[in-house]
Amino acid sequence: MESHANHLDRIEDSLSQCLSQSKRPLGLLLGAGCPVSIKVADADGYRPLIPDIAGLTSLVNRSMEASSSEYQALLSRLRDDLDHDPNIEEILSHIRGLAMIVGRQRVHGLDKEAIDQLERAVTTQIMQAVAVDLPSEHTPYDDLAVWSQAVTRHIPIRIFTTNYDLLLEAAFERSSAPFFDGFAGAREPFLDTTAIEADDLPPRWTRIIKLHGSSNWVVRVDRGVVRVPVDGSEERRLIHPSHLKYTESRRMPYLVMFDQLRDFLKRQSATLITLGYSFRDDHINDLLAQGLRANASAKIFGLQYGEFNAYDSAEDLARQNVGLTVMAANGGIDAGRAFELESAADRETKPFKLGDFKEFGHRLMRSVGHTTRTASEIEAVTRGSDEE
């Protein structure tokens, strides 16, 4: 791995230019790491607002193993088959895979009804974990919403997300920032695929595209996909936190949502910035790679939180696609070549911080003349007041 102290400044300058050019197609891809950046108080101190995949897996396993012997047996078999502890995506993928083949027979002693009950129970656990309110304190989601209003755009901003929580929508609503998520109506809004594809709303309306579904989407037999309140009802929500989304996403509405990302990457000079995305979704990775190969003018910035060696999938993808720049705290890959951020002779190492969703939010706010204080800055001010 090469050492280039000037890579950081050059990449950050390039990123700033992409954010400031109003006629450049600009998109953001928000992954599961974004809500993890928001901490809330609990009995043990602080915890993420919504857990990451590992935390969600632990939460579901504790609850399901305590209440279902069938789940215990299924999890034990899956551990043996995979030779590692499966995460919640692998578990739900396995359950849905069994549901596809069971028919009128039994699989591993489970009939169709038992498998269906397991799938519903796991999905319910996931839904309960993501059914949280956006904290009243200012968050990076609020930064994103405020920024979307403050910038002048000739082409609308597109926010793609793999998350099925409602944090993004909540931030835009409390900032009165207009957005379009594909639905039309008031009492029970319906998914309007024609409006999504026509895309003829004003550019100041941010487009929000939920790639894996949402906690407030359900299917009505007579009306198709509709948006409903998150009220704990027994209706099965349209979420796909499993690898089966790869094969099942050819069905609407996932086809429509993924086509939006595919079409975006075809645009001249399209720029996509990923945050909280670990590049472990094969379907999305394939789509990103195809977009870069088909459009030499497209550019993707993969902003990662933590050390570079934690993102093997991102590294592999970036080595094969020069249009993907991956940047982590201590280095990354640019133009297909890896580099480290080491100290130059005349200055100290400057770690890359924009992979932190909070830091990225601060950057957006500064770019439009707003300032926000980091948690450490607020703590310092509070501590100073107390000492006085």
Side-chain angles (χ1 to χ4, degrees), residues 1-8 330-332 337-345 347 349:
M1 184 181 288
E2 298 181 65
S3 174
H4 293 288
N6 64 341
H7 261 283
L8 182 61
N330 63 334
R337 303 182 67 179
F339 64 90
E340 292 179 344
L341 293 178
E342 293 182 352
S343 298
R347 67 176 185 178
T349 302

Side-chain angles (χ1 to χ4, degrees), residues 38-60:
I38 302 173
K39 300 296 189 291
V40 294
D42 67 4
D44 298 321
Y46 289 90
R47 60 172 176 79
L49 181 62
I50 296 175
D52 60 10
I53 293 297
L56 189 58
T57 301
S58 178
L59 186 153
V60 173

